[in-house]
Amino acid sequence: MSREFAGRSVVITGASSGIGRALAVQLAQAGAVLILAARREEKLRDLAHELRKCAAEVLVVPTDVTVDADRKRLIAAVKERFGGLDVLINNAGVASWAHFKDSSEEILRTVMEVNFFAPAELIRLAIPLLLQGQQPAIVNVASMCGRRAMPGWSEYSASKFALCGLTEALRGELARFDIDICLMIPGLTRSEFRERFLQTKGRAKIEFDKGMPPEWVAAQIVNSLRKSKTETVMGREAHLVLWFNKLFPRLTDWLLARKMRQLYNTN
């Protein structure tokens, strides 16, 4: 099946920057009707203004995905405007880059709320609208860390593992409704995401500037959605790490542990 985008309604969370913004631009170019959701209303409206210059139909719904009332207001706005929904893209995310012992319950709960509970509850709310959609689909943007947890990204890894698990379970549950659910596994991506980390105490050298351009990641997501791919791993680094971990899991653990000892045995 090849999914069409022209005239189809698409909700994108985390649409104000990074992968979400790039998705909005590319789906608008494909003729989709966009519902943009994020906390930063000004950035959303600037993006909507830019897209409307290209004759795109755009609805802006300022949304904090962790707030139940905001999630319900987003879905209600979609129902009122379109009656149904064709695609839900759960893209909003947050991370903390620090060791677990240096973190807090508050940070753990925030990461889980944004990265797992919010998309889970949006899916629950969206299902009745997706049942009214054409070629309905859900896209969950996870991470390489959702398939191989990494030191320094403990809360983030846990939240993305949870999202991957939910996606796999729902794939079977939603099949009877003909709702596709696609899982995206990007590696390191160059975007504003790192500027909003809840903590930045990690010592490992991570070259964020050498990450994948968000436009490239968005193009892979759009292509995967078009083809209804079950799971898509993006980026050479992600492919290499996940391949190596699959073949040599104990060696992977040993190498990561050795690296952490080296980093934290020096002052």
Side-chain angles (χ1 to χ4, degrees):
M1 179 186 75
S2 179
R3 178 170 281 101
E4 299 294 329
F5 294 120
R8 303 293 171 82
S9 56
V10 181
V11 168
I12 305 173
T13 68
S16 59
S17 64
I19 295 171
R21 189 183 195 284
L23 280 168
V25 171
Q26 293 180 28
L27 287 168
Q29 291 170 347
V33 176
L34 300 176
I35 302 93
L36 306 180
R39 291 183 301 173
R40 295 182 291 178
E41 182 174 358
E42 185 176 349
K43 282 187 171 290
L44 286 182
R45 297 203 178 280
D46 288 345
L47 174 58
H49 179 70
E50 178 183 326
L51 297 178
R52 286 173 183 139
K53 289 180 180 178
C54 304
E57 184 177 353
V58 184
L59 175 63
V60 169
V61 186
T63 305
D64 182 338
V65 294
T66 67
V67 177
D68 181 55
D70 279 19
R71 294 192 295 263
K72 290 177 177 175
R73 182 165 52 83
L74 170 62
I75 297 302
V78 175
K79 182 177 181 179
E80 180 181 356
R81 179 79 168 263
F82 305 107
L85 177 64
D86 300 312
V87 180
L88 168 64
I89 301 179
N90 285 309
N91 168 71
V94 71
S96 174
W97 182 35
H99 278 218
F100 190 73
K101 77 176 187 65
D102 300 323
S103 191
S104 67
E105 179 183 353
E106 181 183 6
I107 286 175
L108 172 60
R109 289 186 179 276
T110 297
V111 172
M112 291 300 295
E113 284 288 347
V114 176
N115 295 353
F116 176 67
F117 290 111
E121 293 309 319
L122 268 177
I123 290 170
R124 199 192 311 273
L125 289 170
I127 287 173
L129 291 186
L130 289 165
L131 291 174
Q132 307 302 316
Q134 300 181 68
Q135 296 178 302
I138 297 164
V139 176
N140 288 332
V141 181
S143 165
M144 176 183 75
C145 291
R147 288 303 192 200
R148 167 67 228 193
M150 301 298 287
W153 302 96
S154 49
E155 298 98 343
Y156 184 70
S157 296
S159 68
K160 293 301 186 178
F161 257 84
L163 185 61
C164 289
L166 178 68
T167 304
E168 291 177 349
L170 290 182
R171 185 170 294 120
E173 291 189 23
L174 298 179
R176 66 192 178 102
F177 301 125
D178 292 323
I179 298 174
D180 292 326
I181 185 160
C182 307
L183 182 62
M184 305 298 162
I185 310 289
L188 187 66
T189 304
R190 185 171 69 244
S191 72
E192 294 178 24
F193 181 59
R194 63 170 175 163
E195 297 173 8
R196 300 192 299 278
F197 285 169
L198 300 178
Q199 287 193 106
T200 55
K201 297 178 181 177
R203 294 191 184 182
K205 183 180 180 182
I206 300 176
E207 297 180 305
F208 293 102
D209 292 337
K210 293 185 179 179
M212 300 176 292
E215 294 80 11
W216 185 86
V217 175
Q220 306 310 303
I221 293 173
V222 171
N223 183 59
S224 296
L225 176 58
R226 190 187 303 277
K227 297 179 180 179
S228 296
K229 289 187 176 181
T230 300
E231 182 169 331
T232 304
V233 178
M234 286 163 269
R236 182 176 179 273
E237 176 193 39
H239 278 282
L240 180 61
V241 169
L242 297 182
W243 171 82
F244 192 87
N245 182 66
K246 184 177 182 179
L247 293 180
F248 310 107
R250 293 184 65 184
L251 178 57
T252 303
D253 285 342
W254 183 83
L255 289 170
L256 289 172
R258 184 183 69 168
K259 182 65 175 178
M260 290 302 103
R261 290 191 186 98
Q262 290 172 346
L263 287 171
Y264 285 83
N265 283 341
T266 57
N267 296 319

